[in-house]
């Protein structure tokens, strides 16, 4: 038995050696830190280390969940991510299908332009948003002034931010998703469309009966992956775009910015870990759930 | 008129109407995309335009899409004392080059092994890599690992190591490599080629579009990073470009908020803070924005998201 396994191993040795760097890397940066989750149940002290510190049970969790912040940041994180998932999918899919109708020589230009914001860092995007929303000289307030409207202090008014955040996110990311769908769309065998054309199908029917069904596996993969990240917010978006303005925390603070502040500003390591734990567990359960549902509907589309 | 001919006429008429319709719809779609592209590019043009506008004009009439009074003052101010900027550029370029070379190598190597259908440990390896996207220790244990155990705080390593191997890039690369037929590899093996030789002389050249695409993505990730800097870098000499940009934003705000209250006799209108700020953003984003269109053509063929299933 062992001998047979050893023989198998020898045959696969070279490929195993090739995957060894990834194994070591993931071990060090992903799997060993998972052990660090025990800090969530401890009173962490630097001098005693991860395993030497004292156990405190669920105190760290209690502290977080008792606060009003727990509800606000969780709500914000989920609602923003949900709207990103739905809007990005609908808009990107529509754009990809429409892009397929644009004449070849123009596609490249649109592709480049729509994709460009994706390659800007959140810091730079923060500057772009500032150019629009600056109190005194921002483009929007200047424009409002031309119509005789008073200037709005954007960085102090929490109520506007859900819209601002969603628009910013879409501007930055929708081009990337569009391109992924478009690449998938180009992979579809053109003979399907030719056959449909002979049968007298119109464009809309072809989209509904050919394009969407054949893209479904891709849509589902991206969807399940997104669902798993629903408890993790894009830190850069929520930190740099509102410029860490405390006036706006009510509508812009998410779990990740809260964890960062309690780690780097307050220095509460136990609670930050506890919140991270909560993010991981709930995210994991959601992925399992999403995959299970997809599997119930259609076995082939499930992630595993 | 015989009925068949009527039918034919009707058919041509229909086709005529249909092609006319589709011409119209394609025109509308084209127009729609042109408008969309303009909408997407305006924010960038605004930033560039502000950086080229005279400071006094900015203070008087605010940010505008077309500079009322053109000025290079912001850029000449930055280039007068380029030390800090050049240092940040240096750090970012170093990190980007090293990170991209090592990262691309490791990503393609890993993707290749899990794309090989005859690799015995393929399934478990795939699980091992992708499980990390589903479950993680979170920020704090990661932070402690990097600072306390790997001792990377305030080193160049802290800016490189955490981004070397991303499951998503492995997924894209594997999706591409799945299309390389196993027979090709097997026949090379028959000829006595080793696995490494196959990888370097066959797989990498065959995966060129994916290599370029992923390589560019990795380099953008390094170029645009502020997160690792924010977490791990306190040493002023190791601050990467994006983090410096962030510091500039808060510092200028700090300066302009405090100078007036301290009543120092500096005329703020002489200090081009608004335009300088935007000029810094242009300089930080610029190089990559110029590089990216040249590699565009590889993207469509390189960006195939395959399935995670083995």
């Amino acid at each position: 038995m062992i001998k047979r396994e050893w023989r198998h191993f020898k045959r696969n040795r070279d490929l195993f050696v090739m995957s060894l760097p990834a194994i070591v890397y993931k071990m060090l940066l992903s799997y060993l830190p998972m052990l660090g989750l025990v800090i969530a149940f401890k009173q962490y002290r630097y001098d005693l280390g991860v395993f030497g510190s004292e156990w405190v049970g669920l105190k760290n969790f209690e502290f977080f969940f008792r606060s009003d912040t727990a509800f606000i940041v969780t709500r914000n994180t989920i609602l923003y991510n949900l709207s990103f998932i739905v809007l990005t999918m609908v808009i990107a899919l529509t754009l990809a299908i429409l892009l397929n109708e644009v004449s070849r020589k123009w596609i490249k230009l649109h592709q480049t332009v729509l994709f460009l914001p994706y390659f800007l860092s959140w810091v730079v995007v923060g500057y772009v948003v500032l150019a629009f929303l600056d109190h005194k000289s921002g483009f929007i307030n200047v424009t409002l002034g031309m119509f005789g409207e008073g200037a709005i202090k954007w960085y102090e008014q929490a109520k506007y931010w859900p819209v601002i955040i969603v628009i910013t996110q879409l501007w930055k990311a929708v081009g990337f998703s569009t391109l992924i769908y478009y690449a998938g769309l180009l992979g579809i065998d053109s003979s399907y469309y030719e056959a449909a054309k002979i049968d007298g199908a119109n464009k809309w029917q072809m989209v509904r009966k050919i394009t969407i069904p054949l893209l479904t596996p891709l849509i589902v993969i991206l969807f399940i992956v997104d669902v798993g990240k629903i408890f993790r917010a894009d830190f850069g978006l929520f930190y740099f775009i509102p410029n860490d303005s405390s006036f706006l925390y009510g509508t812009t603070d998410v779990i990740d910015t809260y964890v960062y502040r309690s780690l780097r500003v307050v220095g509460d390591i136990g609670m930050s870990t506890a919140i991270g734990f909560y993010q991981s567990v709930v995210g994991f359960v959601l992925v399992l759930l999403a995959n299970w549902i997809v599997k119930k509907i259609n076995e082939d589309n499930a992630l595993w | 008129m015989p009925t068949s001919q009527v039918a034919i006429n009707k058919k041509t008429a229909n086709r005529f109407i249909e092609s006319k319709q589709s011409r119209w719809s394609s025109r509308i779609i084209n127009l729609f995309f042109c408008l969309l592209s303009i909408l997407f590019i305006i924010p960038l043009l605004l930033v560039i335009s502000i950086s080229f506008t005279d400071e006094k004009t900015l203070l008087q009439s605010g940010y505008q899409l077309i500079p009322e009074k053109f000025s290079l003052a912001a850029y000449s101010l930055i280039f007068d004392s380029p030390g800090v900027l050049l240092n940040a550029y240096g750090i970012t370029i170093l990190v980007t080059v090293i990170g991209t070379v090592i990262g691309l190598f490791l990503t393609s190597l890993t993707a290749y092994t899990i794309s090989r259908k005859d690799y015995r440990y393929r399934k478990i390896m795939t699980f091992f890599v992708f499980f990390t996207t589903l479950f993680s220790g979170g920020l704090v244990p990661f932070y402690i690992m990097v600072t306390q155990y790997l001792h990377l705080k305030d080193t160049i390593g802290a800016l490189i190591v955490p981004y070397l191997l991303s499951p998503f890039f492995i997924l894209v690369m594997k999706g591409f490599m799945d299309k390389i037929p196993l027979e090709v590899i097997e026949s090379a093996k028959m000829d006595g080629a080793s696995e490494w030789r196959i990888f370097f002389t066959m797989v990498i050249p065959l995966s060129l579009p994916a290599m370029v695409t992923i390589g560019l993505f990795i380099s953008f990730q390094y170029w645009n990073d502020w997160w690792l800097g924010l977490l791990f870098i306190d040493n002023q000499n190791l601050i990467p470009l994006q983090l410096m940009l962030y510091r500039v934003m808060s510092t200028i705000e700090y300066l302009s908020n405090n100078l007036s209250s301290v009543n120092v006799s500096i005329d703020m209108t002489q200090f081009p803070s608004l335009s300088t700020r935007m000029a810094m953003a242009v300089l930080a984003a610029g190089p990559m924005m110029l590089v990216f269109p040249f590699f565009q053509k590889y993207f469509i063929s390189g960006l195939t998201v395959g399935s995670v299933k083995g």
Side-chain angles (χ1 to χ4, degrees):
Chain A
M1 182 67 187
I2 292 170
K3 218 171 173 182
R4 183 143 47 108
E5 198 45 53
W6 176 246
R7 232 188 10 246
H8 280 310
F9 177 76
K10 272 209 305 210
R11 201 175 307 139
N12 287 282
R13 194 184 50 206
D14 287 346
L15 284 171
F16 177 74
V17 170
M18 288 170 127
S19 46
L20 209 52
I23 294 174
V24 173
Y25 182 87
K26 283 285 159 199
M27 218 53 204
L28 278 177
L29 282 131
S30 299
Y31 286 93
L32 284 177
M34 285 181 200
L35 294 180
L37 283 172
V38 298
I39 298 171
F41 306 96
K42 290 190 166 200
Q43 175 82 46
Y44 184 75
R45 276 174 52 185
Y46 275 107
D47 51 334
L48 297 176
V50 174
F51 299 102
S53 298
E54 197 190 328
W55 293 95
V56 292
L58 295 174
K59 250 208 187 95
N60 289 322
F61 291 91
E62 251 179 71
F63 190 69
F64 173 63
F65 285 111
R66 283 259 168 86
S67 65
D68 300 333
T69 328
F71 172 72
I72 294 174
V73 295
T74 304
R75 179 202 64 190
N76 288 351
T77 311
I78 294 180
L79 286 184
Y80 277 119
N81 276 332
L82 265 184
S83 48
F84 294 161
I85 294 173
V86 174
L87 288 174
T88 308
M89 183 181 291
V90 173
I91 296 175
L93 202 56
T94 312
L95 288 182
I97 290 169
L98 287 179
L99 200 58
N100 212 17
E101 305 291 320
V102 173
S103 57
R104 291 275 156 217
K105 62 176 182 196
W106 285 92
I107 281 181
K108 239 186 187 152
L109 176 77
H110 296 315
Q111 210 175 283
T112 313
V113 173
L114 297 185
F115 208 10
L116 204 62
Y118 183 78
F119 283 119
L120 298 170
S121 75
W122 280 121
V123 185
V124 173
V125 178
Y127 276 72
V128 174
V129 173
L130 187 74
F132 278 90
L133 299 182
D134 195 70
H135 293 182
K136 274 175 262 165
S137 30
F139 185 68
I140 294 191
N141 279 352
V142 169
T143 314
L144 283 177
M146 284 198 298
F147 291 101
E149 301 279 331
I152 297 170
K153 293 204 162 187
W154 298 100
Y155 288 91
E156 292 171 17
Q157 301 271 336
K159 60 178 176 188
Y160 298 116
W161 281 83
V163 180
I164 298 169
I165 296 267
V166 168
I167 291 177
T168 312
Q169 160 73 16
L170 285 177
W171 178 67
K172 187 167 191 280
V174 99
F176 178 68
S177 303
T178 303
L179 208 62
I180 287 196
Y181 285 128
Y182 182 62
L185 211 142
L186 289 185
I188 296 175
D189 193 344
S190 62
S191 60
Y192 287 115
Y193 292 108
E194 277 150 25
K197 211 179 268 173
I198 292 167
D199 289 344
N202 63 31
K203 283 264 154 71
W204 172 235
Q205 285 166 325
M206 286 193 246
V207 166
R208 234 181 35 193
K209 301 276 187 203
I210 303 172
T211 317
I212 303 269
L214 287 174
L215 282 183
T216 301
L218 183 62
I219 298 172
V220 171
I221 285 183
L222 297 178
F223 177 73
I224 297 177
V225 170
D226 282 346
V227 166
K229 287 189 293 195
I230 212 165
F231 256 55
R232 298 188 185 285
D234 192 329
F235 179 84
L237 170 62
F238 294 95
Y239 190 75
F240 292 121
I241 307 307
N243 212 353
D244 202 26
S245 161
S246 52
F247 293 108
L248 309 177
Y249 283 164
T251 56
T252 62
D253 208 14
V254 286
I255 302 178
D256 294 82
T257 48
Y258 186 68
V259 172
Y260 175 79
R261 275 205 315 276
S262 33
L263 176 71
R264 288 289 306 223
V265 184
V266 188
D268 191 337
I269 290 175
M271 191 183 70
S272 315
T273 318
I275 308 171
F277 193 69
Y278 158 64
Q279 279 185 301
S280 277
V281 171
V282 180
F284 187 56
V285 171
L286 285 176
V287 178
L288 293 183
L289 197 69
N291 193 61
W292 182 76
I293 293 172
V294 169
K295 212 167 185 170
K296 281 270 151 172
I297 300 168
N298 184 350
E299 183 98 30
D300 297 331
N301 291 335
L303 209 54
W304 64 84
Chain B
M1 206 186 285
T3 43
S4 63
Q5 204 169 340
V6 176
I8 288 168
N9 277 341
K10 228 178 180 173
K11 223 172 173 180
T12 37
N14 268 342
R15 193 174 297 155
F16 180 68
I17 290 166
E18 199 182 275
S19 74
K20 208 172 174 184
Q21 251 174 5
S22 73
R23 210 181 306 147
W24 264 106
S25 67
S26 85
R27 253 185 219 157
I28 288 169
I29 291 172
N30 263 325
L31 189 71
F32 166 75
F33 270 100
C34 289
L35 288 176
L36 193 70
S37 291
I38 292 171
L39 220 63
F40 263 63
I41 206 85
I42 278 180
L44 299 177
L45 293 182
L46 180 65
V47 169
I48 295 170
S49 140
I50 295 168
S51 75
F52 283 113
T53 309
D54 176 63
E55 188 73 9
K56 242 181 218 155
T57 322
L58 285 180
L59 284 169
Q60 271 161 14
S61 40
Y63 301 160
Q64 272 155 2
L65 260 178
I66 299 150
E68 263 182 30
K69 199 172 158 210
F70 185 84
S71 158
L72 287 171
Y75 289 93
S76 62
L77 183 86
I78 293 172
F79 289 116
D80 265 351
S81 51
V84 187
L85 182 73
L86 283 183
N87 190 56
Y89 256 111
I91 295 290
T92 295
I93 290 171
L94 187 72
V95 165
T96 304
V97 170
I98 299 177
T100 306
V101 171
I102 303 177
L104 189 57
F105 174 67
L106 289 181
T107 304
S108 52
L109 195 64
T110 313
Y112 172 60
T113 60
I114 61 176
S115 78
R116 274 281 293 268
K117 289 183 185 58
D118 57 336
Y119 178 39
R120 190 171 169 78
Y121 312 112
R122 185 168 77 111
K123 282 219 164 108
I124 189 160
M125 187 65 198
T126 312
F127 177 78
F128 186 78
V129 169
F130 290 106
F131 182 71
T132 59
T133 62
L134 303 179
F135 193 86
S136 84
L139 175 60
V140 183
F142 167 74
Y143 181 80
I144 292 175
M145 185 75 199
V146 173
T147 54
Q148 307 280 304
Y149 294 92
L150 301 176
H151 302 291
L152 290 175
K153 197 173 164 63
D154 267 333
T155 65
I156 288 282
L159 297 173
I160 296 175
V161 173
Y163 286 162
L164 284 178
L165 208 52
S166 131
F168 183 73
F169 295 155
I170 296 177
L171 184 68
V172 176
M173 189 76 97
K174 173 197 173 272
F176 192 89
M177 286 173 171
D178 273 342
K179 287 182 289 191
I180 300 173
L182 194 57
E183 292 80 31
V184 179
I185 289 155
E186 266 166 358
S187 72
K189 257 166 114 178
M190 297 278 215
D191 295 338
S194 72
E195 294 289 2
W196 286 97
R197 198 187 150 88
I198 293 172
F199 176 69
F200 281 114
T201 59
M202 293 176 65
V203 176
I204 288 187
L206 281 172
S207 314
L208 195 67
M211 298 292 283
V212 174
T213 307
I214 299 300
L216 203 65
F217 274 111
I218 296 176
S219 64
F220 270 102
Q221 196 177 22
Y222 281 112
W223 185 271
N224 282 335
D225 183 65
W226 35 265
W227 174 233
L228 299 174
L230 201 61
L231 279 178
F232 300 121
I233 303 296
D234 293 329
N235 182 349
Q236 288 298 322
N237 294 323
L238 290 178
I239 289 196
L241 197 55
Q242 307 292 336
L243 190 59
M244 189 200 67
L245 195 62
Y246 173 61
R247 296 266 166 89
V248 165
M249 168 125 75
S250 26
T251 316
I252 289 187
E253 223 143 82
Y254 175 81
L255 276 179
S256 50
N257 283 337
N258 288 281
L259 280 178
S260 50
S261 60
V262 188
N263 227 346
V264 188
S265 58
I266 293 177
D267 186 4
M268 276 307 286
T269 51
Q270 295 303 311
F271 182 70
S273 71
L274 299 175
S275 49
T276 309
R277 196 149 65 173
M278 294 303 162
M280 292 291 269
V282 172
L283 289 174
M288 279 294 176
M289 292 296 107
L290 292 180
V291 166
F292 143 80
F294 293 103
F295 291 95
Q296 258 266 75
K297 60 176 176 182
Y298 289 100
F299 279 7
I300 289 294
S301 49
L303 260 184
T304 322
V305 177
S307 83
V308 187
K309 269 192 255 187

